Amino acid sequence: MSTWANLGLQDSASPLMEQLIFFHDHALLILVMITVLVGYLMFMLFFNSYINRFLLHGQLIEMIWTILPAIILLFIAMPSLRLLYLLDEINEPSITLKSIGHQWYWSYEYSDFNNIEFDSYMIPTNELSNDGFRLLDVDNRIILPMNSQIRILVTAADVIHSWTVPALGVKVDGTPGRLNQTNFFINRPGLFYGQCSEICGANHSFMPSVIESVPVNYFIKWIASKVNF
Ligand code: CUA
């Protein structure tokens, strides 16, 4: 999760988020190079007092500064498209989690296991324990196994919400009447916090999602404790 003065991206907990961070750094590097080059040229032009009296046209330089930016853009577009299709790929998930957005909480369904379902509300500040995170912790966490492909289906019951967990590189809108799909792979145990990211009403800021990533055998124990035989 993010802590004080953490202005960059969170550490990744999934291969897709790792790729997103690589792409961000790549695009930023190109942006810095363009800014420095253009900034230098503008700075030098301000202090240039020479003129070319015979200058009427400059075909060559026009060609260069038209084609060069197009080529530079390709170096951003190609990796961007690769990432886009990578994020959209579903790799034979072993578990499906359904997230339904409500005003203002999330409810979850594990359809593979006798349809376990529960609501997940933010813990209000006055009820928070000493080790809890204000505005982020919930009463019922999503428990998921690490090192497994997980599919999530996102929808909403009233208005548009967005199920977002930055450390996993997941951000899917929950729209009434639609079912959106994505998948991820958590590569380490831990707690991963996220917040709704569609402006969905008065308590938009107070419907976080918390994933507790655990080893597979712990997950099976948890599932067994939830299923009513
Ligand atoms: Cu739900 Cu914003």
Side-chain angles (χ1 to χ4, degrees):
M1 64 176 286
S2 273
T3 48
W4 308 120
N6 186 356
L7 299 179
L9 294 162
Q10 292 179 30
D11 287 346
S12 83
S14 79
L16 286 177
M17 189 60 217
E18 192 177 26
Q19 292 298 315
L20 284 160
I21 292 172
F22 288 154
F23 178 68
H24 165 270
D25 294 352
H26 169 76
L28 194 67
L29 197 75
I30 293 176
L31 207 72
V32 167
M33 290 193 297
I34 293 170
T35 311
V36 168
L37 178 70
V38 175
Y40 172 79
L41 292 174
M42 286 173 70
F43 183 80
M44 296 312 276
L45 277 172
F46 275 122
F47 298 99
N48 176 42
S49 49
Y50 295 118
I51 50 161
N52 183 346
R53 286 191 298 151
F54 304 105
L55 181 73
L56 288 173
H57 55 79
Q59 303 291 15
L60 184 66
I61 192 66
E62 292 277 8
M63 288 279 281
I64 291 170
W65 69 39
T66 304
I67 293 169
L68 194 68
I71 294 171
I72 292 171
L73 285 183
L74 279 180
F75 278 90
I76 299 174
M78 290 305 166
S80 173
L81 281 173
R82 189 191 80 110
L83 234 181
L84 189 68
Y85 288 112
L86 224 47
L87 291 169
D88 214 32
E89 189 73 35
I90 305 290
N91 311 298
E92 293 186 49
S94 43
I95 285 179
T96 300
L97 171 73
K98 247 189 244 177
S99 318
I100 300 123
H102 305 260
Q103 280 174 319
W104 287 276
Y105 62 97
W106 290 99
S107 66
Y108 299 104
E109 293 178 14
Y110 290 73
S111 346
D112 301 325
F113 304 96
N114 208 11
N115 214 34
I116 295 167
E117 49 186 312
F118 55 87
D119 296 338
S120 183
Y121 281 89
M122 186 194 78
I123 300 175
T125 306
N126 56 317
E127 294 170 24
L128 202 64
S129 59
N130 282 327
D131 57 354
F133 293 111
R134 196 176 78 93
L135 305 183
L136 281 180
D137 264 314
V138 293
D139 55 358
N140 292 305
R141 289 170 178 163
I142 311 157
I143 316 285
L144 285 175
M146 56 186 269
N147 294 332
S148 323
Q149 286 291 344
I150 295 154
R151 162 168 50 201
I152 42 169
L153 301 172
V154 186
T155 186
D158 34 53
V159 297
I160 304 176
H161 300 272
S162 181
W163 198 83
T164 308
V165 181
L168 301 175
V170 177
K171 181 176 184 294
V172 184
D173 275 12
T175 309
R178 288 178 138 269
L179 195 62
N180 286 328
Q181 172 182 254
T182 192
N183 83 123
F184 56 78
F185 179 98
I186 314 174
N187 54 21
R188 59 186 166 94
L191 283 175
F192 305 111
Y193 292 87
Q195 290 174 298
C196 178
S197 43
E198 282 286 0
I199 310 295
C200 57
N203 293 328
H204 158 67
S205 327
F206 310 126
M207 49 178 299
S209 41
V210 184
I211 291 182
E212 190 173 329
S213 167
V214 296
V216 179
N217 52 331
Y218 281 55
F219 174 76
I220 293 170
K221 276 187 181 172
W222 176 78
I223 281 289
S225 74
K226 283 273 182 184
V227 175
N228 302 311
F229 291 106

